[in-house]
């Protein structure tokens, strides 16, 4: 049903991505125009949520000014933050709702689009049942929008199936921290990082994906700290690593268990901490007995001496911090990987003291806040479980419904797409999610989207996923609606409405409330402003682990952010969790978790002998819906390239800039080669921000971690072959841009 | 206005970002036939003065650091002027304000006294000695940085 209308070329001509290089009216106007006001807010992109001031003139954002007083980034910004304002006033911006016809999208009135959406959703539910409609959310939404969307799914639609794109980010880490500490948040604020003597960064491309964290690590090194980096590639921070562990993709667990083995073998564990603050140590001790350095080395490809050295450096340091990101988490054993890292932290007693801890570097803008208040398929506001009768009673009470009316947990993000493909889910309401680019096995995602009987999407640009929608609702950019987000450190911060949505575009929360009213549930959605939503959220989260009850917009502004939990209005917030090693479990103990080895879901073999790993570049953000429209960012890294080690390149007769076809058990794509000595010789790397035939996710597989349901983006099996020539997308125009004659890089 | 590139991407992830070094005796100004490049009393070397610049590119060719650029649409040499609009009113230059790793930083000497590296501002390009206002952090005990261009030429020829 929902086949993309018209040709790709037609859609691209009209809706982009087009490149915006200059502010509205050009640089001359920008430098002559004095802003009416500077709005202190935050970057719309990653989980660092840097403070930034937007220059506003009239109803337009015309530039930015660093915000040096904001304590997290003190004025620092990455290229995405510097250029972010160029998405405002963009020619591709959706200014009206669109309806799909057989050949095109046509502009519609809000009345028409909303009435159709409500009618079709109701028809599908009447015919196939409540759970035949699913809702997708996203972790770039403010916490108010995330909360509202969870309530919308469960109260207005009454469906079990709501999940969000944070499922593709770090849910495995969240699950592991929940198992170990009964709370899903970084235990430490970033201000602890410079105080450590040893930083161990595993699967974390800090320089490109969390750029401001680089400064914290460099300050640690300026103070004499040592840096250990484990990654299949030399990422920018590894240039200053004291010890670099170039492990094989998907073998982090063997490395971590190997390090714990060495710690225990050499009696470097902290017996007092283990005794006083933990349970489950003996079972974990027994499980790592077989991971001696020789075996860990055989599995990881890292020399045994290096594994021993890493274990000694980490354990012998009085103060050490282990940090991790998608490399550790994007695996079908992502929970085990993170548990193994927590085990190492607990065994060495590096928790609850100055300059100590383990921490996840949450990736998405509101990756933390967006997962705390009810758009996860199994959670209610306040980081409560949807299975907990007390939690159901509390939230149902705040919402004015009976606990029995609350649906049970539903499918996770990939499972929803699988159910759409299987015909079980017939309709989808999506906001802030571009699964056509971000879910693994993109052909499968496309097939599924084409099967939907009804698909409504809310977005500000026509994303690759929106091409499949029956109704496109023109929503708002981050700077067009007030709200809060929660950064990677657990700091709740205030997003300001700098401008209003242009022309006929609407605030996201207004769209959701309007739809709820049209579904006959208006009395549960009386909200006129985000502040009203936040007031209800405070009550709904009250008493949960992620307790926002004591947080107000005014307190956030006065304190430059409030760390949760913050249970009362006079509470200052909680930057450090688990002070003195006391977990959130009723007994206060931290739980060692067994972290057993399991093979990847897409193992290498004779036909597909090469590891494929995917990731990011500094100039692009997630599926690129925003950043692929900003000229200055696209120029930094215009098209995806496949990184290949010279040794592998030689075996395949490939030289730098050759076109190379990468084939996996799903599909094949052809990209230009970047021959670099900074990657393992048995591994190739592709950044994933692009769509269609340039999409790394054409190649990845749908194996999920069984507990957290995170896909295994970081490990696939592939083969490579020199291509006869450029692929069809590499037009003459593209070729000039990516391979100018005589260019050095 | 900043030169940024990978040093040798095939071999390493190392990158280098250079602003203008603001030489005490700027080579760009020495070679300018139109006397368009001025250094202020505060030591900041400015972009070429638009009314004087003839876009001859002498400065582009002569600067040993490779800093000046001719902007064709303005027919003028432009380069880093230490964000004069910002630094003249007590702010940091934009690059040093936003640099996520603080590889470019605008600091007082006492702020970096505890660092392991030594700040250097004396460069030798062959026989030419240049002293600059901008410092480079170099290995401990370094008193100057020497670059012999011919060495790089030989290395290239041997590959």
């Amino acid at each position: 049903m929902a086949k993309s209308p018209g040709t790709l070329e037609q859609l691209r001509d009209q809706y982009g991505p087009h490149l915006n290089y200059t502010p509205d009216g050009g640089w001359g106007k920008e430098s002559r125009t004095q802003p009416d006001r500077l709005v202190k807010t935050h970057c719309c992109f990653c989980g660092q949520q840097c403070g930034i001031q937007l220059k506003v003139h009239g109803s337009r954002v015309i530039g930015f000014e660093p915000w040096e007083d904001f304590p997290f980034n003190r004025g620092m910004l990455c290229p995405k933050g510097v250029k972010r304002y160029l998405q405002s006033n963009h020619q591709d911006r959706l200014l009206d709702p669109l309806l799909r016809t057989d050949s095109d999208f046509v502009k519609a009135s809000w009345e028409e689009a909303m009435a159709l959406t409500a009618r079709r959703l109701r028809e599908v539910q009447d015919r196939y049942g409540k759970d035949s409609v699913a809702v997708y959310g996203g972790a770039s939404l403010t916490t108010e929008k995330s909360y509202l969307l969870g309530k919308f799914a469960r109260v207005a639609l009454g469906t079990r199936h709501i999940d969000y794109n944070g499922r593709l980010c770090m849910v495995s880490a969240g699950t592991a921290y929940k198992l170990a500490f009964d709370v899903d948040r970084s235990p430490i604020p970033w201000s602890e990082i410079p105080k450590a003597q040893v930083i161990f960064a595993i699967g974390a491309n800090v320089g490109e994906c969390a750029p401001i964290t680089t400064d914290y690590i460099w300050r640690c090194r300026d103070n004499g700290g040592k840096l250990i980096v484990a990654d299949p590639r030399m990422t920018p921070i590894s240039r200053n690593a004291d010890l670099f562990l170039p492990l094989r993709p998907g073998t982090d667990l063997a490395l971590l268990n190997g390090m714990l083995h060495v710690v225990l073998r050499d009696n470097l564990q902290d017996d007092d901490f283990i005794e006083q603050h933990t349970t489950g140590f003996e079972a974990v001790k027994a499980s790592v007995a077989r991971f001696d350095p020789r075996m860990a080395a055989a599995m990881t490809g890292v020399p045994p001496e290096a594994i021993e050295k890493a274990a000694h450096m980490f354990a012998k340091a009085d103060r050490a911090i282990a940090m991790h990101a998608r490399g550790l988490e994007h695996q079908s054993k992502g929970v085990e990987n993170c548990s193994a890292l927590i085990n190492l932290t607990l065994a060495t007693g590096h928790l609850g003291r100055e300059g100590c801890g383990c921490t996840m570097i949450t990736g998405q803008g509101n990756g933390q806040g967006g997962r705390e208040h009810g758009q996860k398929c199994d959670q209610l506001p306040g980081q409560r479980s949807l299975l907990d009768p007390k939690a159901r009673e509390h939230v149902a009470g705040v919402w004015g419904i009976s606990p029995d009316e609350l649906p049970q947990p539903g499918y996770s993000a990939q499972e929803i797409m699988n159910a759409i493909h299987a015909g079980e889910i017939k309709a989808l309401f999506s906001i802030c999610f571009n699964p056509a680019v971000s879910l693994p096995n993109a052909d499968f995602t496309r097939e599924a989207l084409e099967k939907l009987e009804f698909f409504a999407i809310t977005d500000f640009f026509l994303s690759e996923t929106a091409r499949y929608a029956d109704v496109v609702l023109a929503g708002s950019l981050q700077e067009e609606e007030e709200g809060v987000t929660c950064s990677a450190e657990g700091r709740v911060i205030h997003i300001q409405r700098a401008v209003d949505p242009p022309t006929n575009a609407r605030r996201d929360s207004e769209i959701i409330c309007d739809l709820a009213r049209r579904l006959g549930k208006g009395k549960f959605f009386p909200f006129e402003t985000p502040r009203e939503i936040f007031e209800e959220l405070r009550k709904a989260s009250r008493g949960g682990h992620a307790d926002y009850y004591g947080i107000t917009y005014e307190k956030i502004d006065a304190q430059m952010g409030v760390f949760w939990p913050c249970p009362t209005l006079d509470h200052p917030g909680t930057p450090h969790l688990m002070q003195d090693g006391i977990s959130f479990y009723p007994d206060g103990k931290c739980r060692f978790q067994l972290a057993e080895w399991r093979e990847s879901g897409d193992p290498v073999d004779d036909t597909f002998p090469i590891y494929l790993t995917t990731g990011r570049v500094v100039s692009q953000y997630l599926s690129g819906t925003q950043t692929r429209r900003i000229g200055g960012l696209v120029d930094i890294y215009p098209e995806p390239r496949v990184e290949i080690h010279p040794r592998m390149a030689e075996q395949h007769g490939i030289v730098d800039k050759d076109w190379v076809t990468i084939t996996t058990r799903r599909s094949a794509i052809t990209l230009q080669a970047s021959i670099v000595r900074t990657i393992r010789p048995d591994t190739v790397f592709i950044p994933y921000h692009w769509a269609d035939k340039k999409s790394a996710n054409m190649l990845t597989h749908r194996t999920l971690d069984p507990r957290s349901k995170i896909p295994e983006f970081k490990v696939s099996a592939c083969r490579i072959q020199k291509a006869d020539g450029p692929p069809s997308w590499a037009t003459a125009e593209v070729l000039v841009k990516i391979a100018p004659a005589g260019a050095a890089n | 206005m900043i030169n940024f590139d990978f040093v040798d991407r095939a071999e390493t992830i190392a990158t280098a970002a250079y602003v203008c070094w603001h030489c005490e005796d700027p080579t760009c100004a020495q070679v300018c036939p139109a006397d368009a490049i001025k250094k202020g009393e505060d030591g900041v070397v400015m972009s070429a003065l638009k009314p004087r610049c003839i876009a001859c590119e002498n400065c582009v060719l002569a600067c040993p650091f490779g800093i000046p650029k001719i902007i064709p649409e303005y027919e003028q040499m432009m380069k880093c002027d230490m964000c004069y609009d910002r630094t003249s009113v007590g702010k940091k230059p934009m690059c040093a304000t936003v640099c996520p790793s603080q590889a470019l930083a605008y600091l007082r000497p006492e702020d970096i006294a505890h660092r392991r590296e030594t700040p250097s501002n004396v460069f030798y390009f062959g026989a030419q000695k240049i002293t600059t206002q901008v410092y480079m952090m170099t290995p401990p005990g370094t008193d100057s940085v020497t670059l012999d261009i011919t060495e790089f030429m030989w290395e290239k020829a041997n590959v």
Side-chain angles (χ1 to χ4, degrees):
Chain A
M1 287 290 284
K3 276 212 189 326
S4 173
T7 65
L8 267 185
E9 286 68 30
Q10 285 168 338
L11 284 172
R12 285 195 194 122
D13 279 351
Q14 192 164 1
Y15 300 104
H18 293 103
L19 299 180
N20 187 17
Y21 280 94
T22 56
D24 192 39
W27 293 115
K29 187 176 172 197
E30 194 267 350
S31 58
R32 284 194 308 275
T33 308
Q34 284 301 314
D36 305 330
R37 56 190 189 279
L38 288 174
V39 179
K40 288 185 166 63
T41 185
H42 295 270
C43 180
C44 55
F45 295 127
C46 84
Q48 312 274 289
Q49 291 288 283
C50 294
I52 186 172
Q53 304 186 86
L54 294 181
K55 281 185 184 171
V56 178
H57 180 72
S59 59
R60 292 168 182 269
V61 176
I62 58 165
F64 81 102
E65 181 63 31
W67 180 9
E68 293 182 68
D69 292 334
F70 189 72
F72 174 76
N73 59 306
R74 306 186 325 279
M76 293 180 282
L77 293 167
C78 81
K80 299 182 288 293
V82 167
K83 295 286 184 187
R84 79 179 286 281
Y85 71 95
L86 290 171
Q87 65 179 324
S88 301
N89 314 309
H90 195 287
Q91 69 173 105
D92 295 343
R93 182 66 191 272
L94 299 176
L95 301 172
D96 293 278
L98 303 175
L99 301 184
R100 190 175 57 80
T101 68
D102 288 341
S103 59
D104 202 356
F105 283 107
V106 291
K107 276 187 194 176
S109 69
W110 277 103
E111 178 56 36
E112 208 179 344
M114 296 301 286
L116 175 69
T117 303
R119 178 170 64 79
R120 293 291 291 128
L121 289 175
R122 203 180 285 154
E123 280 172 6
V124 170
Q125 285 194 311
D126 286 347
R127 183 157 177 208
Y128 302 106
K130 297 253 185 212
D131 295 338
S132 62
V133 173
V135 176
Y136 267 156
S140 294
L141 298 173
T142 60
T143 310
E144 286 82 349
K145 295 180 193 176
S146 312
Y147 168 83
L148 186 67
L149 196 68
K151 184 177 179 185
F152 170 79
R154 289 170 180 132
V155 176
L157 287 170
T159 178
R160 290 198 296 137
H161 302 308
I162 169 166
D163 208 42
Y164 76 130
N165 62 9
R167 189 66 59 183
L168 317 176
C169 181
M170 41 45 64
V171 283
S172 51
T175 304
Y177 280 63
K178 197 94 178 138
L179 288 167
F181 309 120
D182 199 30
V183 67
D184 167 13
R185 201 205 97 181
S186 167
I188 52 168
W190 259 224
S191 53
E192 292 302 314
I193 295 171
K195 300 175 190 165
Q197 293 164 325
V198 168
I199 301 275
F200 175 35
I202 179 165
N205 183 358
V206 170
E208 296 194 86
C209 306
I212 305 307
T213 301
T214 315
D215 173 63
Y216 286 82
I217 296 177
W218 282 182
R219 277 191 278 146
C220 171
R221 293 192 73 254
D222 288 343
N223 295 336
K226 302 283 184 199
L227 175 63
I228 308 170
V229 176
D231 204 295
R233 305 161 61 217
M234 293 196 82
T235 60
I237 57 162
S238 24
R239 77 176 73 168
N240 284 348
D242 298 277
L243 179 61
F244 178 58
L245 310 170
L247 80 176
R248 201 170 275 140
T251 64
D252 307 66
L253 185 65
L255 176 70
L256 292 164
N257 281 351
M259 285 172 66
L260 183 55
H261 175 101
V262 173
V263 168
L264 301 178
R265 182 196 69 187
D266 297 345
N267 207 23
L268 298 170
Q269 74 278 12
D270 184 337
D271 290 320
D272 290 344
F273 186 89
I274 294 169
E275 170 66 28
Q276 288 170 28
H277 295 294
T278 69
T279 65
F281 172 67
E282 289 302 325
V284 167
K285 182 179 179 182
S287 75
V288 300
R290 70 189 180 102
F291 287 90
D292 60 75
R294 194 181 292 263
M295 172 168 160
M299 294 170 85
T300 58
V302 174
E305 299 78 13
I307 297 172
E308 287 179 323
K309 189 171 178 193
H312 282 214
M313 281 171 71
F314 189 77
K316 286 178 181 168
D318 183 37
R319 302 184 303 279
I321 291 175
M323 53 172 68
H324 53 96
R326 307 302 85 74
L328 193 66
E329 298 155 12
H330 277 167
Q331 295 182 30
S332 59
K333 49 182 175 295
V335 174
E336 281 86 349
N337 287 346
C338 297
S339 291
L341 179 125
I342 295 169
N343 290 344
L344 184 65
T345 308
L346 293 177
T348 50
H350 290 319
L351 189 75
R353 290 186 290 116
E354 182 180 65
C356 285
C358 47
T359 182
M360 49 183 137
I361 309 172
T362 289
Q364 297 191 81
N366 196 19
Q368 184 68 47
R371 69 185 191 249
E372 294 165 354
H373 297 292
Q375 64 172 338
K376 264 179 115 166
C377 64
D378 57 351
Q379 274 195 8
L380 287 170
Q383 225 176 75
R384 289 179 160 96
S385 167
L386 196 48
L387 290 169
D388 173 6
K390 274 193 196 150
R392 295 173 68 89
E393 197 178 326
H394 170 79
V395 174
V398 174
W399 288 354
I401 60 170
S402 147
D404 302 334
E405 293 174 70
L406 267 181
Q408 294 297 320
Y411 292 149
S412 66
Q414 180 62 52
E415 292 171 318
I416 287 175
M417 196 56 80
N418 294 350
I420 293 170
H421 198 277
E424 181 189 341
I425 290 173
K426 305 284 189 187
L428 180 64
F429 178 81
S430 175
I431 176 168
C432 187
F433 195 169
N434 189 9
V437 176
S438 58
L439 281 181
N441 195 352
D443 278 336
F444 179 90
T445 307
R446 180 180 45 74
E447 287 169 19
L449 291 171
E450 286 177 354
K451 288 182 180 181
L452 281 166
E453 290 193 12
F454 180 72
F455 180 18
I457 196 166
T458 302
D459 220 326
F460 32 73
F461 295 121
L462 194 86
S463 69
E464 285 76 12
T465 303
R467 294 175 190 160
Y468 298 91
D470 297 282
V471 180
V472 182
L473 303 168
S476 45
L477 286 168
Q478 181 242 28
E479 57 265 39
E480 293 164 0
E481 184 162 4
E482 189 179 21
V484 304
T485 61
C486 183
S487 75
E489 345 174 66
R491 190 197 297 257
V492 179
I493 51 171
H494 193 181
I495 307 299
Q496 300 286 349
R497 179 183 62 85
V499 290
D500 287 318
T503 320
N504 293 323
R506 281 173 102 180
R507 289 190 288 114
D508 292 341
S509 66
E510 204 181 322
I511 295 171
I512 297 168
C513 291
D514 184 358
L515 191 54
R517 278 192 285 278
R518 289 167 191 269
L519 291 166
K521 301 286 184 178
K523 70 170 176 167
F524 301 105
F525 296 85
F527 312 109
E528 294 288 326
T529 62
R531 186 183 282 267
E532 292 171 18
I533 302 171
F534 187 71
E535 290 305 314
E536 188 182 289
L537 182 162
R538 287 177 52 217
K539 297 187 190 103
S541 74
R542 189 175 194 178
H545 283 343
D547 192 335
Y548 279 38
Y549 185 72
I551 303 178
T552 62
Y553 289 175
E554 288 69 28
K555 190 192 256 186
I556 295 174
D557 293 342
Q559 290 184 202
M560 299 267 188
V562 180
F563 290 82
W564 66 258
C566 181
T568 57
L569 287 168
D570 58 1
H571 192 287
T574 316
H576 296 78
L577 297 186
M578 294 176 279
Q579 291 274 47
D580 303 320
I582 310 294
S583 83
F584 275 58
Y585 277 112
D587 64 3
K589 302 266 187 176
C590 304
R591 310 281 197 264
F592 277 96
Q593 297 288 324
L594 279 180
E596 301 281 11
W597 174 260
R598 212 169 43 246
E599 289 297 334
S600 154
D602 192 40
V604 292
D605 61 13
D606 289 346
T607 319
F608 298 98
I610 298 167
Y611 292 95
L612 163 67
T613 191
T614 67
R616 290 133 221 258
V617 296
V618 67
S619 45
Q620 289 291 317
Y621 181 61
L622 302 187
S623 76
T625 304
Q626 292 153 283
T627 45
R628 278 188 278 120
R629 290 181 156 83
I630 298 177
L633 296 178
V634 169
D635 287 353
I636 294 174
Y637 189 99
E639 303 289 352
R641 295 191 291 258
V642 52
E643 283 186 8
I644 305 173
H645 190 278
R647 197 187 304 165
M648 187 194 292
E650 194 180 348
Q651 286 164 0
H652 292 82
I654 296 165
V655 299
D656 198 47
K657 295 198 176 75
D658 273 352
W659 293 93
V660 174
T661 301
I662 308 99
T663 308
T664 67
R665 297 183 176 99
R666 273 69 52 197
S667 190
I669 61 172
T670 299
L671 303 176
Q672 207 172 28
S674 180
I675 310 299
V676 291
R677 212 175 285 282
T678 51
I679 187 168
R680 285 181 60 90
D682 57 0
T683 302
V684 298
F685 167 81
I686 305 173
Y688 93 105
H689 313 279
W690 290 266
D692 307 321
K693 295 288 181 193
K694 301 184 224 171
S695 168
N697 279 328
M698 292 279 288
L699 305 173
T700 52
H701 57 107
R702 288 181 295 121
T703 311
L704 301 181
D705 172 79
R707 285 180 285 183
S708 69
K709 315 289 184 183
I710 204 168
E712 193 162 40
F713 295 112
K714 289 293 181 275
V715 196
S716 300
C718 75
R719 63 171 181 262
I720 64 167
Q721 188 180 10
K722 185 173 168 173
D724 295 334
S728 55
W729 59 263
T731 57
E733 195 185 352
V734 171
L735 290 174
V736 167
K737 191 151 191 169
I738 60 179
N745 283 296
Chain B
M1 301 296 115
I2 296 178
N3 292 346
F4 172 86
D5 210 342
F6 289 96
V7 173
D8 179 3
R9 184 63 191 90
E11 293 295 320
T12 164
I13 45 168
T15 46
Y18 294 132
V19 297
C20 175
W21 295 82
H22 298 281
C23 307
E24 281 184 4
D25 186 6
T27 311
C28 56
Q30 288 172 12
V31 300
C32 180
D35 197 19
I37 302 170
K38 301 293 188 188
K39 191 178 89 169
E41 283 174 11
D42 48 15
V44 174
V45 183
M46 308 301 262
S47 289
L49 293 167
K50 173 74 174 160
R52 301 184 73 97
C53 179
I54 55 172
C56 68
E57 300 202 21
N58 264 6
C59 52
V60 177
L61 298 169
C63 171
F65 297 102
I67 300 298
K69 297 272 182 292
I70 299 290
I71 310 292
E73 57 182 303
Y74 303 136
E75 293 183 348
Q76 182 188 6
M77 181 279 270
M78 295 183 81
K79 63 178 235 356
C80 155
D81 62 3
M82 199 69 95
C83 285
Y84 207 77
D85 55 333
R86 304 180 75 86
T87 46
S88 59
V89 294
K91 292 181 182 175
K92 300 175 189 175
M94 185 62 94
C95 64
T97 310
V98 299
C99 178
S101 60
Q102 289 294 293
L104 294 170
Y106 190 72
L107 300 160
R108 295 184 181 285
E110 56 266 32
D111 296 334
I112 49 170
H114 69 287
R115 298 255 301 253
R116 286 175 284 192
E117 311 97 309
T118 305
S120 296
N121 73 330
V122 175
F123 297 85
Y124 288 94
F125 291 89
Q128 185 185 12
K129 179 186 177 185
I130 295 182
T131 308
T132 61
Q133 302 266 331
V134 173
Y135 285 73
M136 176 191 266
M137 298 303 279
T138 54
T142 307
D143 49 13
S144 65
V145 177
T146 302
L147 287 167
D148 189 340
I149 305 297
T150 51
E151 269 180 32
F152 289 96
M153 293 165 74
W154 279 114
E155 194 180 25
K156 197 81 181 173
N158 289 339
V159 168

